[in-house]
Amino acid sequence: MLLFLTKMKIVCAISLMSASLLGTSWGSHGGLSSKPPCRPGFSESFYSVFVSRDILQGQSSLKDTTGSSGRVVFEECRDGEAVEFGSHDPSFSVRTEGSSRKEQGEFPGSGRRAPDTPVWENTLKLALVEHTPSPPVTQTTGKEGDSTEPKPQPSIIKFPWKQQQSPSVPRRQKRDWVIPPINVPENSRGPFPQMLVRIRSDQDRDIQIRYSITGAGADQPPTEVYNIDPVAGKMFVTKPLDREERSSYHLRAHAVDMNGNKVENPIDLYIYVIDMNDNRPEFRKQVYNGSVDEGSKPGSYVMKVTANDADDDTTANGMVRYRILSQSPRSAIPNMFTINSETGDIVTVAPGLDRERVSQYTIIVQATDMEGNLNFGLSNTATALIAVTDINDHPPEMTSRTFSGEVLENREDLPVANLTVIDLDQPHTQNWNAVYRIIGGDPSGHFTVRTDPVTNNGVVTVVKPVDYEMNRAFMLNVVVSNQASLASGIPSSPLSTAGVTISVVDVNEPPVFPSNPKVIRFEEGVPAGTTLTTFSANDPDRLRHQTVRYSKMSDPADWLRINNTNGQIVTMAVLDRESIYVKNNVYEATFLAVDTGSPVASGTGTLQIHLLDVNDNAPELQPREAQMCERRRSKGINVTASDADAEPNVGPFVFELPTFPLSVRRNWTISRLDGYYAQLRLRISRLETGVYEVPVIVTDSGNPPLSNRSVIRVKVCPCDENGDCSSVEAVAAAGLGTGAIVAILICIIILLILVLLFVMWMKRKEKERQTKQLLIDPEDDVRDNILKYDEEGGGEEDQDYDLSQLQQPESLDHIITKPTGVRRVDERPMVAESQYPVRPTLPHPGDIGDFINEGLRAADNDPTAPPYDSLLVFDYEGSGSTVGSVSSLNSSSSGEQDYDYLNDWGPRFKKLADMYGGGDED
């Protein structure tokens, strides 16, 4: 038997009603009443019905869940007003009471009551079957976990094929087959696998057919959700479904023969997962923070809370409604806020928000699905914290109407009084911060009031020094306000104004110089003892009887003196403008004025003396040295002059050569270039090389003018083709003559020769030290030689020197035979020596040198003296020095010996000269 499915859109036109007529009611807490709100529209999103293929025209095709005649249930929400139903498909019609009936042909169409009224649309799906199917699956959801799961009878879906009909029977035009969707409730408890539908082809009577399904849920992820018996064609679901994970499946059924050949075209199977209320509403945040100004009117928006439900929001399972469970604190007004049940907007419903009483409210908000049905819906809660923001509804108030303080005269930036204030608004905000203003009692601006940022108190501060002699007290009028303006309707407090009494305390003030610094003008050269001015100070303490004394603090050149009683200043030296202590023609000195008060106070004053210039400095020629080529055609020497004076006692200058000596004007000439420069040139054709001192007379332009004779040293030298002195002559021009240069060169050569000789002597000494033989012949030198010791005897043949010469001889014959006067000091005397040898009678400093020379001569002439390089034996030290001791100075038997020569021996012998030289003995 053929089966087909067709669609019909049911259109309802109804006038849009206002929100107040929709049946929404508000509870005391902003929640829903026991009756849910009315929503105009169809009771189902679509209607599915199975009808017989032999249904007649005009017969009802849709039956509701109660089994009555086909009726589309529509909620009007407005009694007494007719609703017009219509159909877009001409094959179907809709009765005015809401039932539909079969028409012929296609049936698209619509109807409405008025052109501007809204339209509600729905879809009717009709499936023609051979037999009467079981009633549609209905579902009633109650409390969480309680659900009734109907067990529908699985239907049989046949593949379409061409039906053979007799010619007498009217032929129906074949249509495309549309399989009705298969509805499967989520969270089914089984048992699994659970059969959903059976698929078969009419050709299974003739051949053996194999069935299969493809698509997501079968052979594509998620796999193994559905399977099919390949022989019987029964399709099963293998596990519970979750609509929130996947709400629908699209499968395709296939029929092939045993060889895999396609028997029927694939048919589409749509499986819809029916939603169950298995998810609670979830708030986006557990704690919401909002704020509202204190004093807000009822209906003021506060904040919004939002909860989401994972269930189908087109059904009651996902429709969330809000209500307020509790408010804390409940003081003042227990129900200060309400919430819109559908949007979650929280607004105020009562006046009286006061931050100073309650600064924050805590509200517990509940969200319930099933359109807020507390008996069947699932709920969840969240917390809303509502902060009451401050407005400037409390003006600052002074704690007293009068305040007082005191200030020392001539002081500034000091606090003198403290003003305390009270403000109930939120601290450290513009509504709380105090601003103070002085509105009277201080016309000169001596005081200001600053705000303490911590305590908000006002600190009266003196910013301009006060004078006790001018004002002994001040009466200030101070007003206080906030940074932010007062809220509308809030009057100012009378305690925002206060009076402040400031007493001025007298102190001993230092003397003050009327003009500081004081400037006077004098010509330089003022002689000592000249009175310049009187530099006196005034004592500000007019009410006290005090005197002032003066002294000098700073006088760099020590030119001035001040009278300590009247401040008269007198010069002690000549004032010189050109002194190093004068800067920019001004000499500056500092003086001190001290009063006799208690405690003592002092003041300083500066005197600036502007010195006027006089022509007291003659000009000086510049430069003092120069060089010039010996030819007249060479370049001249440009000269100028410097003058320590100032204008007009300086240039223009007059340059001229003196008339004496005559050689100056005969050899030289000077010409004026301008008022400050002149040029010195040779008058003769050539001048011998050398250094010449040329006198030049320079005269300034002062009144009277001063002249100065200056000498310029000119080095005349031969020049090369470029007009420059040659190198040798340049050196000579630097101040050295030819003889000096030659002497320097000779000295350098001699120094180099001496260094060379010293190096050669050192090398020779080193060579001699290395090659010198003591007592060994060069032939018998064992160094670097191989000596044979196979022969005995021979002795020390190389020791042929008589070693007795190195020892003290036993006999004294060689000494006795010596000539008179020749004796070695290192020999043992042959006769007993006197302890103190007699000094020569001639007292002359040269006796020591003669003694040494005699010893040297005796050693050179003594044939018995040991060799030069031999070792000397000093085992005998002798009985005493032949020079004698210091005590022997008085051992002379002669009283006529003169020791004055000791004075010629230097400071070390001065003591001996004082002891023995000159004067009478005591």
Side-chain angles (χ1 to χ4, degrees):
M1 190 65 65
L2 294 177
L3 178 146
F4 72 92
L5 183 70
T6 185
K7 299 180 181 178
M8 178 187 72
K9 288 187 177 180
I10 302 174
V11 182
C12 175
I14 188 171
S15 300
L16 181 64
M17 302 179 184
S18 62
S20 61
L21 299 178
L22 293 180
T24 303
S25 60
W26 298 84
S28 61
H29 293 284
L32 293 172
S33 63
S34 60
K35 181 180 179 181
C38 179
R39 297 180 60 190
F42 294 98
S43 60
E44 300 291 340
S45 59
F46 63 88
Y47 295 88
S48 300
V49 62
F50 294 90
V51 297
S52 174
R53 63 181 297 275
D54 297 327
I55 189 170
L56 300 179
Q57 180 177 357
Q59 186 176 347
S60 175
S61 61
L62 179 61
K63 294 185 179 180
D64 58 13
T65 57
T66 61
S68 59
S69 60
R71 177 170 298 177
V72 177
V73 180
F74 183 83
E75 182 63 50
E76 305 177 31
C77 298
R78 189 171 182 179
D79 298 336
E81 183 171 344
V83 179
E84 183 179 326
F85 298 92
S87 172
H88 293 286
D89 197 325
S91 298
F92 288 86
S93 65
V94 183
R95 298 177 184 176
T96 57
E97 66 273 11
S99 62
S100 62
R101 58 181 179 176
K102 180 72 175 66
E103 299 289 350
Q104 57 184 359
E106 300 296 331
F107 45 91
S110 63
R112 61 176 61 186
R113 181 176 59 84
D116 299 329
T117 56
V119 176
W120 287 265
E121 294 186 357
N122 210 328
T123 303
L124 174 64
K125 300 179 181 179
L126 301 180
L128 299 184
V129 296
E130 181 181 8
H131 61 284
T132 303
S134 302
V137 177
T138 59
Q139 172 185 329
T140 305
T141 303
K143 294 182 179 180
E144 183 180 7
D146 298 337
S147 63
T148 19
E149 299 178 3
K151 301 185 179 295
Q153 297 296 328
S155 59
I156 300 175
I157 301 176
K158 290 185 177 182
F159 282 89
W161 62 290
K162 294 183 180 180
Q163 183 180 8
Q164 300 293 333
Q165 297 179 348
S166 60
S168 59
V169 180
R171 299 175 62 89
R172 178 183 295 113
Q173 183 180 0
K174 185 176 182 300
R175 301 183 182 182
D176 293 335
W177 287 81
V178 179
I179 307 302
I182 302 172
N183 297 325
V184 180
E186 66 172 335
N187 302 325
S188 175
R189 295 183 179 179
F192 297 99
Q194 180 180 351
M195 181 179 175
L196 298 179
V197 70
R198 180 182 179 187
I199 301 173
R200 62 179 296 269
S201 172
D202 288 344
Q203 299 187 36
D204 61 355
R205 300 173 183 174
D206 301 330
I207 60 175
Q208 191 173 1
I209 296 178
R210 292 291 183 266
Y211 302 97
S212 64
I213 57 176
T214 60
D219 60 343
Q220 299 177 12
T223 58
E224 299 181 356
V225 178
Y226 303 98
N227 57 29
I228 190 171
D229 188 339
V231 177
K234 296 180 181 180
M235 190 176 72
F236 300 90
V237 60
T238 61
K239 59 183 178 180
L241 303 180
D242 187 359
R243 189 201 69 84
E244 287 71 40
E245 181 178 348
R246 192 180 183 97
S247 60
S248 64
Y249 297 87
H250 178 201
L251 303 177
R252 302 196 77 183
H254 307 270
V256 298
D257 58 13
M258 298 302 294
N259 296 324
N261 298 321
K262 183 173 66 173
V263 177
E264 301 284 356
N265 292 327
I267 60 175
D268 294 320
L269 302 178
Y270 294 93
I271 303 174
Y272 294 98
V273 183
I274 300 175
D275 181 51
M276 298 180 62
N277 191 19
D278 58 344
N279 291 280
R280 293 179 179 272
E282 296 291 341
F283 283 95
R284 295 181 181 178
K285 296 186 293 185
Q286 280 302 112
V287 178
Y288 290 83
N289 292 286
S291 62
V292 62
D293 291 339
E294 63 175 329
S296 297
K297 297 180 180 179
S300 300
Y301 176 81
V302 179
M303 62 188 303
K304 181 177 183 177
V305 296
T306 304
N308 298 325
D309 198 315
D311 294 323
D312 188 1
D313 56 358
T314 62
T315 65
N317 296 337
M319 295 182 181
V320 180
R321 299 294 182 265
Y322 305 93
R323 72 190 189 103
I324 295 177
L325 292 182
S326 64
Q327 169 188 306
S328 177
R330 297 180 58 86
S331 59
I333 300 176
N335 299 320
M336 181 65 71
F337 306 94
T338 186
I339 187 170
N340 188 310
S341 61
E342 293 187 3
T343 63
D345 293 331
I346 299 177
V347 296
T348 60
V349 294
L353 287 173
D354 189 358
R355 189 203 64 83
E356 286 71 36
R357 298 181 61 184
V358 179
S359 60
Q360 180 176 282
Y361 289 90
T362 302
I363 294 178
I364 305 300
V365 180
Q366 184 183 52
T368 307
D369 57 14
M370 297 299 292
E371 295 184 306
N373 192 322
L374 299 178
N375 295 325
F376 302 102
L378 303 179
S379 302
N380 213 336
T381 59
T383 302
L385 300 179
I386 302 176
V388 181
T389 57
D390 182 56
I391 64 172
N392 193 12
D393 57 346
H394 293 86
E397 297 180 351
M398 298 278 192
T399 58
S400 176
R401 298 302 298 270
T402 59
F403 297 90
S404 62
E406 64 178 18
V407 58
L408 297 176
E409 66 171 334
N410 300 323
R411 299 293 181 90
E412 58 182 338
D413 292 331
L414 294 177
V416 297
N418 189 39
L419 311 181
T420 55
V421 70
I422 296 176
D423 196 322
L424 299 179
D425 291 320
Q426 186 174 358
H428 307 292
T429 62
Q430 292 187 352
N431 299 330
W432 180 80
N433 294 337
V435 177
Y436 299 87
R437 291 181 298 112
I438 298 177
I439 59 176
D442 185 22
S444 301
H446 291 281
F447 302 93
T448 187
V449 184
R450 298 169 180 170
T451 304
D452 189 327
V454 178
T455 63
N456 211 28
N457 293 337
V459 181
V460 181
T461 306
V462 56
V463 294
K464 184 178 179 181
V466 296
D467 189 359
Y468 175 81
E469 286 73 24
M470 298 293 294
N471 295 291
R472 300 186 182 184
F474 291 87
M475 297 295 295
L476 306 181
N477 192 11
V478 180
V479 63
V480 62
S481 60
N482 292 125
Q483 286 184 350
S485 302
L486 287 175
S488 178
I490 305 299
S492 299
S493 172
L495 294 177
S496 61
T497 304
V500 183
T501 302
I502 306 297
S503 300
V504 181
V505 179
D506 184 28
V507 296
N508 184 25
E509 301 175 73
V512 178
F513 288 91
S515 56
N516 194 8
K518 183 176 183 179
V519 180
I520 60 176
R521 303 173 70 88
F522 270 88
E523 287 187 352
E524 65 173 330
V526 174
T530 303
T531 301
L532 298 181
T533 185
T534 299
F535 196 26
S536 60
N538 300 326
D539 192 349
D541 298 311
R542 296 185 300 271
L543 304 180
R544 299 185 180 188
H545 300 286
Q546 299 176 158
T547 58
V548 179
R549 298 290 180 179
Y550 303 94
S551 61
K552 185 170 61 173
M553 286 186 62
S554 173
D555 185 10
D558 199 18
W559 287 346
L560 307 177
R561 180 178 66 251
I562 188 171
N563 189 302
N564 62 352
T565 57
N566 58 12
Q568 189 179 57
I569 296 176
V570 182
T571 61
M572 296 189 304
V574 177
L575 305 183
D576 186 7
R577 191 194 65 87
E578 289 74 33
S579 172
I580 60 174
Y581 302 105
V582 177
K583 308 298 181 183
N584 297 325
N585 301 329
V586 175
Y587 180 75
E588 189 172 277
T590 306
F591 299 92
L592 182 68
V594 182
D595 63 13
T596 57
S598 179
V600 174
S602 62
T604 59
T606 301
L607 178 64
Q608 293 181 347
I609 306 174
H610 189 89
L611 295 175
L612 304 178
D613 183 50
V614 296
N615 193 17
D616 57 347
N617 291 278
E620 296 289 337
L621 186 67
Q622 298 290 339
R624 289 302 185 94
E625 293 185 356
Q627 70 179 19
M628 178 184 293
C629 295
E630 59 185 1
R631 301 294 181 179
R632 184 174 60 180
R633 292 174 299 178
S634 62
K635 299 178 181 178
I637 302 173
N638 292 336
V639 295
T640 184
S642 62
D643 197 325
D645 293 323
E647 294 289 346
N649 296 320
V650 289
F653 300 102
V654 176
F655 303 90
E656 57 183 348
L657 298 176
T659 57
F660 184 83
L662 299 177
S663 59
V664 175
R665 292 198 173 187
R666 183 176 62 251
N667 297 334
W668 305 91
T669 181
I670 190 168
S671 59
R672 183 175 181 272
L673 298 178
D674 57 20
Y676 293 89
Y677 288 91
Q679 190 175 68
L680 181 66
R681 302 177 63 88
L682 285 174
R683 178 183 293 272
I684 59 178
S685 60
R686 183 179 179 275
L687 189 63
E688 292 294 332
T689 302
V691 178
Y692 298 88
E693 293 185 351
V694 181
V696 178
I697 299 175
V698 184
T699 306
D700 60 19
S701 298
N703 186 17
L706 293 180
S707 298
N708 184 26
R709 180 188 175 102
S710 301
V711 175
I712 177 172
R713 294 189 63 193
V714 181
K715 289 85 174 179
V716 178
C717 59
C719 298
D720 53 17
E721 61 275 6
N722 297 324
D724 298 327
C725 290
S726 60
S727 58
V728 176
E729 295 299 333
V731 174
L736 296 178
T738 304
I741 296 174
V742 173
I744 292 174
L745 293 177
I746 292 174
C747 292
I748 294 174
I749 294 173
I750 293 174
L751 181 61
L752 292 176
I753 293 173
L754 291 176
V755 172
L756 182 61
L757 291 176
F758 179 77
V759 171
M760 294 175 63
W761 180 78
M762 290 297 295
K763 288 184 177 181
R764 180 179 179 183
K765 295 295 290 184
E766 180 67 19
K767 186 176 180 180
E768 290 179 356
R769 186 181 64 81
Q770 294 178 359
T771 60
K772 184 174 68 172
Q773 303 175 2
L774 295 176
L775 299 175
I776 302 177
D777 246 2
E779 296 179 357
D780 298 330
D781 189 1
V782 299
R783 290 175 297 181
D784 300 332
N785 293 324
I786 299 177
L787 302 179
K788 295 182 179 181
Y789 294 97
D790 55 351
E791 296 181 358
E792 297 181 357
E796 297 180 356
E797 297 178 355
D798 55 343
Q799 301 290 337
D800 56 352
Y801 183 76
D802 187 4
L803 296 179
S804 63
Q805 301 293 333
L806 303 177
Q807 299 177 353
Q808 181 68 28
E810 296 296 335
S811 63
L812 303 177
D813 295 340
H814 64 285
I815 299 176
I816 298 174
T817 58
K818 278 186 178 182
T820 304
V822 178
R823 185 172 60 86
R824 289 288 305 274
V825 296
D826 57 344
E827 294 179 353
R828 185 175 182 179
M830 62 181 182
V831 294
E833 297 177 349
S834 60
Q835 184 175 1
Y836 301 105
V838 178
R839 294 178 58 84
T841 58
L842 183 60
H844 192 275
D847 58 348
I848 297 177
D850 295 339
F851 172 78
I852 295 174
N853 293 331
E854 291 178 1
L856 292 176
R857 187 169 56 255
D860 293 338
N861 299 326
D862 187 4
T864 62
Y868 177 78
D869 293 331
S870 63
L871 300 177
L872 300 181
V873 178
F874 293 99
D875 54 351
Y876 176 71
E877 297 180 357
S879 60
S881 175
T882 57
V883 177
S885 62
V886 177
S887 60
S888 64
L889 294 176
N890 290 332
S891 63
S892 176
S893 59
S894 173
E896 298 177 356
Q897 188 171 356
D898 187 7
Y899 294 98
D900 291 337
Y901 61 88
L902 293 176
N903 293 320
D904 300 333
W905 288 11
R908 296 186 179 181
F909 294 89
K910 186 177 185 307
K911 185 63 177 177
L912 294 176
D914 294 339
M915 294 174 60
Y916 298 97
D920 297 333
E921 296 182 359
D922 296 337

